[in-house]
Amino acid sequence: MVDSSRSLHQRHTRAIGQKAGLPPGTLVHVGEQHMERTNIHRIQYDAERFHEERELSPEACFPIPPDQGVTWIRVCGLHQVEAVEAVGKALNLHPLLLEDILNTGQRPKAEDYGDTLFLVMKAHALDAESGEIVTEQVSLVLAKDLVVTFHEKENGLLRPVLERLRTGHARIRRLGADYLAYVILDAVVDRHFVVLEQLGEQLGGLDDELMKEPDSRTLQRIHRLRSELIYLRKSVWPLREAVSTLERNETGLIMDATQIYLRDAYDHTARAIDTLETYRDVVAGMMEIYMSVISNRINEVMKVLTVFASIFIPLTFLVGVYGMNFEHMPELHMRYGYFYLWGFMFAATGGMLYYFRRKKWL
Amino acid sequence: MVDSSRSLHQRHTRAIGQKAGLPPGTLVHVGEQHMERTNIHRIQYDAERFHEERELSPEACFPIPPDQGVTWIRVCGLHQVEAVEAVGKALNLHPLLLEDILNTGQRPKAEDYGDTLFLVMKAHALDAESGEIVTEQVSLVLAKDLVVTFHEKENGLLRPVLERLRTGHARIRRLGADYLAYVILDAVVDRHFVVLEQLGEQLGGLDDELMKEPDSRTLQRIHRLRSELIYLRKSVWPLREAVSTLERNETGLIMDATQIYLRDAYDHTARAIDTLETYRDVVAGMMEIYMSVISNRINEVMKVLTVFASIFIPLTFLVGVYGMNFEHMPELHMRYGYFYLWGFMFAATGGMLYYFRRKKWL
Amino acid sequence: MVDSSRSLHQRHTRAIGQKAGLPPGTLVHVGEQHMERTNIHRIQYDAERFHEERELSPEACFPIPPDQGVTWIRVCGLHQVEAVEAVGKALNLHPLLLEDILNTGQRPKAEDYGDTLFLVMKAHALDAESGEIVTEQVSLVLAKDLVVTFHEKENGLLRPVLERLRTGHARIRRLGADYLAYVILDAVVDRHFVVLEQLGEQLGGLDDELMKEPDSRTLQRIHRLRSELIYLRKSVWPLREAVSTLERNETGLIMDATQIYLRDAYDHTARAIDTLETYRDVVAGMMEIYMSVISNRINEVMKVLTVFASIFIPLTFLVGVYGMNFEHMPELHMRYGYFYLWGFMFAATGGMLYYFRRKKWL
Amino acid sequence: MVDSSRSLHQRHTRAIGQKAGLPPGTLVHVGEQHMERTNIHRIQYDAERFHEERELSPEACFPIPPDQGVTWIRVCGLHQVEAVEAVGKALNLHPLLLEDILNTGQRPKAEDYGDTLFLVMKAHALDAESGEIVTEQVSLVLAKDLVVTFHEKENGLLRPVLERLRTGHARIRRLGADYLAYVILDAVVDRHFVVLEQLGEQLGGLDDELMKEPDSRTLQRIHRLRSELIYLRKSVWPLREAVSTLERNETGLIMDATQIYLRDAYDHTARAIDTLETYRDVVAGMMEIYMSVISNRINEVMKVLTVFASIFIPLTFLVGVYGMNFEHMPELHMRYGYFYLWGFMFAATGGMLYYFRRKKWL
Amino acid sequence: MVDSSRSLHQRHTRAIGQKAGLPPGTLVHVGEQHMERTNIHRIQYDAERFHEERELSPEACFPIPPDQGVTWIRVCGLHQVEAVEAVGKALNLHPLLLEDILNTGQRPKAEDYGDTLFLVMKAHALDAESGEIVTEQVSLVLAKDLVVTFHEKENGLLRPVLERLRTGHARIRRLGADYLAYVILDAVVDRHFVVLEQLGEQLGGLDDELMKEPDSRTLQRIHRLRSELIYLRKSVWPLREAVSTLERNETGLIMDATQIYLRDAYDHTARAIDTLETYRDVVAGMMEIYMSVISNRINEVMKVLTVFASIFIPLTFLVGVYGMNFEHMPELHMRYGYFYLWGFMFAATGGMLYYFRRKKWL
């Protein structure tokens, strides 16, 4: 529990300070190494043709064969800086853009470099085992008839997109590079809903727990869930902004037909934010409920203690009185003194029980 | 209690993640099935004529007979995707628009598709039995002389509108499709006030309870009410935005006379939001009051315990002293030792009671 | 206390949901009936002339005699819907405008109907007996040389304005209908300050109470005051917006000289909001202070209990030891055993008192 | 403490409601009387000349001798309404402007009256004795070659400005009325920093106290400081707005060279707001820390109590057992029974101490 | 701990009030003296040439030798006001600009003085020993082919920039003064990430501590960290604004190629703010968790106490009963009375343990 809690901050913040002091535009990979070497896949298609080449080196990949419709280059694995740099050079990308691709601690953003559009996204997944959110940075460059995506590792995020491309009759084959870029964006945005749904289930579970039998582990779970939501929020809000920037770009790279799709993607990020904020409100309320439940319990325990103590402490005093060894204690010599005392004690106890009941402590 | 609490999250969030991985524009129904089959009603009217056909199939419904004034098509039941798709094709609606109609996890919004306006709304009702908010998605497409509404189920929401249409002399018969769209919007917005009024009554009841005799069920009720308000909020805020988008649309579908009505609808959503936010503030305050009341009680219980213990514990010690069996204890042999002791104990008790009273503990 | 607390929500929210299902523009009075029948007063004045007619019927009131300078029509009592409707017809007012006048659950707003300006305001007063805020809706229609005001009941709010009108030489007589409208608005805005001042006094009293001897009634008062502020806020914020809308209107009904006065009214509403928000912050702080004070007290009580118990419980054990009846207990037969024990007990008590004092518990 | 706490609200809110019901533009002094009679000082200067006249009557002050460079008229003491009115008439000021000058409950603001600019400011000072914030309203009218300032009392706020004017070679002598107005504004803004610095010192002291030995007086101090910050905030935020209004005015009264200085003043108010908000955040945190510290202490006290009670209560029971007077109790007759019992009791105590230590309660 | 806590406020606020009463534009150094005397370094470079002169006096530094490419003047140490003034005169800087340079309590800002751009920044570092944030103000003036930076002390912040300049082939040598200004800004912005990363590590450590064994030092650490974040926030938010002002400046001093870099710097400040706000949210949550943990513990301790007391108090009463000295107590004379009593006591204890276990207190 504790270990994974620490890694929560580590998972989300990366080594954000390690690049300080280096000149701007210096290409350094910030993040973990997930693959042995950088793989490049090149896909070229139009409505009729589809051509795919895997595990290319940068040299083999460029120059791109012309007149092949839309080209999609996938670069998987970012730790081999020189490979990424070679791709950047071949495509004439701005050094700052390459720097952002390699530094996986970016916030989602869209930038307009005149003839290219640059988009940084965060793809989330909930790790099945640990229940933690795992984040991968996906960068996308859109140019004329060209989409380049950069991934930290080979993962299944875009497999459905690839499958649809391979299927000849899908709409995606008939449309341009801008539509492909949208489809990739849409895949990343949809991932948020998967994660949110899983978090929503955790929320429902916590709500049950809270009403039944909350204990200190409930508190830890609330704390974890809240922290996850805080970090998730950090990457969802800027994504909305980024999609909005895409929509309003003036490069001419995005066609009118695709604009409607982008508006839809914007709408989806807005929904994700709504859900996230709602969850945050709910979790904040849970914290207060938890505190109230604990206070309630202390109150319950206090009442029992008070009732016990208030009844028996005076009685104990009383029997102590008649345990004293004074020579002259008239009551001790009364015939039914012992039984009178029992009678008195029962009466006193009854009176106190009545009093406590009236005070609603029993 | 617990079950319905879980369903709170389920009711409000739907299966938001289940569509991830599908291509954009894929038509999948997200939501529960409420009806056996999809029903289509077609109403055509102008100031003089009124024509109504029920339970049509999509084939029978289209093409729409021309020159019949305003046409209103009601599609009830969304799980038969092919029926909805047929309607969409007949009316030439954008695939994304159809996708939004079928996915009942939408947030309220208005979208401008050039020659059509698209409006998604959420109609709320408080279930009489469970006291829970039940939500239904209502989608509306406004085109020239045409309104199409999509409902999850056959319900009474728009019955009053139908009744007025059937009555020949109502104003609604003399005005166009845009006014009909407004009237439907107005019916949905007014529903918010019904729900808010009921929640307001719950609020008043809780306030009473809080001042009288709050217990852990009060806490659960506050928690429930707050959660309901949080989820309700999620659908009211975007509705205001949507109405504002409608007002500012540039399709020419909405005439000037109807603009004033839209402004009124906007005003109503603003009032609903005001009321909702006010309730949220009040409920947040209740939570704090609850905590204070519990703390107050702990304090009360503590005081009683302390008074009892502080008085009797020293006395018990004292009688213990004279219960000891030392051979040489001069007090035991005093003539009135026992009575002196009682005198001393009464005096001590009186002094302590005085002290506690001065400290306001009694 | 409890009853008035419930009525707090009732007073402020009115029956907001009761109109759902009715066609837009349906005239229904929402609110309490304060008067037996609707009274109409007609005042006409210019710098030289002043003419006043009381208790007119709608038929007698209209048409308005022409060329009499500025006309002010006061309609008091809104439950006679037909009377209000007759006024509306005579003045050719929009149905939605009339609907808003009759529905006393409106939020303050200003609307531009082309040739008329419509203003809804809330006049507040603190009921002398119950200390509760009483709210009345005042609607105002400004047209060329005409002001119409609608009141829920005959009340003293505008008496000073009437008095000034009757006095011949007041500035108000020389200026137009727009200035009259402003003067009425100003009277309503000033009412906020009266209420705020009274709430401020309550606040000061609560602050004293909090520092002296807060108890559960203090808590109830804080809760009440906070609720009042929350509801008051709901009607002050939109008023500022409404005044701003008035200022920026383009009907030409408001002359430049009056603009400066409107700016002043805007400034006043801004001040009212500032004061309100400040009070809200102060009250929020009070809640926390209250909690701290209670916690402090629990702490105090705990300390006393702990000191008592910690001192006497061990001593009681000790005297219990020497009350045992073992045959062989050497101490019991010592010559000064009893006195040694007392000595030891005094020493132990002294040591513990010293320890507690060092721990700052005494 | 309590008295000054009440006066906190009184000091900051003035009698805000007392003007309700009076016609707009009625001149009534709202505030305390600080001086016996209203004093008017007139200063005229340019780069070469400097002429100063003190304690003038309104009649002696006007008309202003022409061609004397910049004229600065200081009006000290506002309770003599007729004197202020005479100044207003001589300068042809708008009645609303005069009303604002006399009503010392204004919020800071800047208003453009075409040929004059009107500025209301709040000058703060921390009273040396009571440690309370004392507020004075300073109003300023800027016209062509003329600055008029209105003060509640003769005070030292502008003495440094006067001194600089008297010194012949200061920059202020070479610049126009707009620069003089800026210098006065700057003096008022700088006052905020003096007060903020003193509050910052209080904050530092409180922070120390909180970490060392917080008690209920600490709580009162936090409460006071927070209230002071809340009220201070009420006058700093609008001041920034006012300075911004000045900067953007279109009267031509403020020359380009002075614009840069106004931007600097704007920057200073922004800094004051930053500092204020930071303090507010810090104080809010302190409140929570205080609560935690109290909870911690309750916990500490509880532990001691529990340890004592848990150890001695069972032992007391045990010795009670052997104090019973049954005829047949074998242990009592054992040779070393008494010592065995002591042995057992030591062992039990040791075991419990070990248990508590493992639970970290000791 | 306490001392450094006080210095927290001192470190962050400087003597903000000490300049009140001085004329605007008065040059006074506000801040600590870090160096013996003010040093001026002059660097001149273009793609081919590089010339550096150290420890110049203002007289030796100016006039700047012409036609040497870009000139960078570093002024280290601000307490020698006359030296800074001499630099200001030589470069014809506005007095307000010089005042801001000397007053190290500025908030970050960018100002446009027509032919020069002025930028105030805050460079942060976490002191290795005390773990406190140390702040230094860096001011930058950008003119045609000229950058002047003002530092409080000689420090290593810009050493990497200097190194790169000395290396002949770096990109920085080929670009203009605007790029140099950007590089300096970038170095300051990157510092934020270093500090944030270190604070993030503290956060992770606190999170562990909170889940394991929080005590009052944990509370102090949370308090400190929160205060540090509050003060840090005060200087990061305005920096973003400042960078944005730079981007939108209209002086023509910043070339298009550098604009992209500025956008990147803006992006970095946005990331820093995101991270900061996230940390603030996390720390706020920690505070609540801490409170819950303490409440949990009180609850635990209360339960143990209650169980002990509730079991032994009645038993002690019972044995007290049979320790009484009444003459007539039948039980005392029963053959197995003593053993019956033990049996009863065991049974009672068992019953209570069962009850407590069912209540989940054990």
Side-chain angles (χ1 to χ4, degrees), chain E residues 302-341:
Chain E
M302 284 302 306
K303 278 182 192 167
V304 169
L305 179 59
T306 304
V307 168
F308 261 84
S310 306
I311 288 177
F312 283 105
I313 285 179
L315 296 182
T316 302
F317 159 71
L318 220 56
V319 301
V321 165
Y322 296 105
M324 292 193 294
N325 299 319
F326 281 102
E327 278 178 11
H328 303 279
M329 291 179 64
E331 297 95 326
L332 295 181
H333 308 290
M334 289 168 69
R335 185 72 187 92
Y336 297 108
Y338 177 53
F339 304 101
Y340 291 157
L341 181 67

Side-chain angles (χ1 to χ4, degrees), chain B residues 53-302:
Chain B
E53 278 184 279
R54 300 187 144 267
E55 312 215 357
L56 296 175
S57 66
E59 295 75 32
C61 182
F62 299 99
I64 301 166
D67 296 327
Q68 299 285 330
V70 177
T71 304
W72 176 16
I73 294 167
R74 291 177 69 212
V75 182
C76 296
L78 302 177
H79 59 284
Q80 280 193 314
V81 173
E82 61 284 4
V84 177
E85 202 171 1
V87 173
K89 276 216 175 112
L91 295 169
N92 197 24
L93 300 178
H94 196 280
L96 282 177
L97 192 157
L98 285 180
E99 191 188 348
D100 286 347
I101 288 169
L102 288 169
N103 184 342
T104 61
Q106 293 302 311
R107 64 202 293 261
K109 63 174 175 182
E111 285 182 336
D112 177 343
Y113 281 89
D115 53 352
T116 50
L117 277 170
F118 177 49
L119 182 65
V120 180
M121 298 169 284
K122 294 282 178 182
H124 299 288
L126 215 66
D127 188 87
E129 271 175 65
S130 63
E132 288 164 3
I133 295 178
V134 182
T135 301
E136 192 212 357
Q137 177 166 317
V138 178
S139 310
L140 184 151
V141 173
L142 172 65
K144 197 170 168 346
D145 293 334
L146 176 71
V147 169
V148 194
T149 54
F150 297 86
H151 306 262
E152 289 186 59
K153 60 185 169 191
E154 193 79 66
N155 63 6
L157 173 68
L158 298 181
R159 197 167 303 142
V161 178
L162 267 171
E163 288 308 320
R164 270 183 272 149
L165 274 178
R166 286 178 192 136
T167 322
H169 52 273
R171 181 171 47 200
I172 194 171
R173 286 278 291 277
R174 297 190 305 271
L175 295 164
D178 56 340
Y179 188 77
L180 176 61
Y182 156 72
V183 166
I184 293 165
L185 167 65
D186 188 59
V188 171
V189 171
D190 275 0
R191 274 292 180 96
H192 288 105
F193 290 102
V194 177
V195 169
L196 280 171
E197 189 170 11
Q198 287 162 326
L199 293 178
E201 270 162 35
Q202 287 183 22
L203 206 69
L206 269 175
D207 216 36
D208 284 7
E209 212 171 306
L210 207 57
M211 286 300 149
K212 271 194 224 131
E213 203 63 48
D215 56 20
S216 62
R217 272 163 313 168
T218 314
L219 183 65
Q220 287 193 10
R221 284 201 202 99
I222 294 175
H223 182 50
R224 273 198 81 72
L225 187 52
R226 180 155 63 175
S227 299
E228 294 281 10
L229 288 171
I230 288 172
Y231 283 109
L232 194 56
R233 188 173 187 253
K234 212 180 127 182
S235 77
V236 181
W237 275 96
L239 183 56
R240 185 169 69 163
E241 222 180 292
V243 177
S244 160
T245 305
L246 270 195
E247 259 189 277
R248 289 177 287 100
N249 91 81
E250 292 170 352
T251 53
L253 285 170
I254 294 179
M255 274 169 283
D256 286 358
T258 311
Q259 287 285 7
I260 285 179
Y261 287 93
L262 278 183
R263 193 175 65 184
D264 195 61
Y266 180 85
D267 200 67
H268 284 203
T269 53
R271 264 172 67 199
I273 288 172
D274 272 14
T275 305
L276 195 60
E277 294 301 317
T278 302
Y279 285 177
R280 269 167 55 94
D281 279 357
V282 172
V283 170
M286 278 179 174
M287 202 58 226
E288 282 185 35
I289 295 289
Y290 182 82
M291 290 288 278
S292 300
V293 168
I294 297 296
S295 285
N296 254 335
R297 274 192 202 160
I298 294 179
N299 195 25
E300 281 309 302
V301 173
M302 285 300 307

Side-chain angles (χ1 to χ4, degrees), chain A residues 160-161 164 171 179 182-183 186-187 190-194 196-197 200 203-205 207-208 210-212 240 257 260-264 266-268 270-272 274-275 277-279 281-282 284-286 288-289 291-296 298-299 302-307 309-311 313-331 352 355-356 359-361, chain B residues 1-3 5-6 8-9 13-26 94-96 99-100 103 105-109 111-113 213 215-216 219-220 222-223 226-227 230-231 233-234 238 280 284 287-288 290-291 294-295 297-298 300-302 304-305 308-309 312-313 315-316 318-326 329 331-339 341-342 345:
Chain A
V161 179
R164 270 183 273 151
R171 182 170 48 202
Y179 187 79
Y182 156 72
V183 166
D186 188 57
D190 276 0
R191 275 292 179 96
H192 288 106
F193 289 103
V194 177
L196 280 171
E197 190 170 8
L203 206 71
D207 217 37
D208 284 7
L210 207 56
M211 285 301 150
K212 271 193 223 134
R240 184 169 70 164
I260 285 179
Y261 288 93
L262 278 183
R263 192 174 66 184
D264 195 61
Y266 180 86
D267 200 66
H268 284 202
R271 264 171 69 198
D274 272 14
T275 305
E277 294 301 317
T278 302
Y279 285 177
D281 278 357
V282 172
M286 278 179 173
E288 282 185 36
I289 295 290
M291 290 288 278
S292 300
V293 168
I294 297 295
S295 285
N296 255 336
I298 294 180
N299 195 24
M302 285 301 307
K303 279 181 192 168
V304 169
L305 178 59
T306 304
V307 168
S310 307
I311 288 177
I313 285 178
L315 296 182
T316 303
F317 159 71
L318 222 55
V319 302
V321 166
Y322 296 106
M324 292 193 294
N325 299 320
F326 281 102
E327 278 177 10
H328 303 278
M329 290 179 64
E331 297 94 326
M352 291 192 29
Y355 175 79
F356 291 142
K359 280 226 157 189
K360 297 259 169 67
W361 293 4
Chain B
M1 191 76 208
V2 167
D3 279 311
S5 170
R6 176 162 32 196
L8 176 81
H9 296 281
T13 55
R14 310 274 164 110
I16 51 179
Q18 73 183 50
K19 284 197 59 185
L22 296 177
T26 309
H94 196 280
L96 282 177
E99 191 188 348
D100 286 347
N103 184 342
Q106 293 302 311
R107 64 202 293 261
K109 63 174 175 182
E111 285 182 336
D112 177 343
Y113 281 89
E213 203 63 48
D215 56 20
S216 62
L219 183 65
Q220 287 193 10
I222 294 175
H223 182 50
R226 180 155 63 175
S227 299
I230 288 172
Y231 283 109
R233 188 173 187 253
K234 212 180 127 182
R280 269 167 55 94
M287 202 58 226
E288 282 185 35
Y290 182 82
M291 290 288 278
I294 297 296
S295 285
R297 274 192 202 160
I298 294 179
E300 281 309 302
V301 173
M302 285 300 307
V304 169
L305 179 58
F308 261 84
F312 283 105
I313 285 178
L315 296 182
T316 303
L318 222 55
V319 301
V321 166
Y322 295 105
M324 293 193 294
N325 299 319
F326 281 102
M329 290 179 64
E331 296 97 323
L332 295 181
H333 309 291
M334 287 167 71
R335 185 71 187 93
Y336 298 109
Y338 178 54
F339 304 100
L341 181 66
W342 269 118
M345 294 197 298

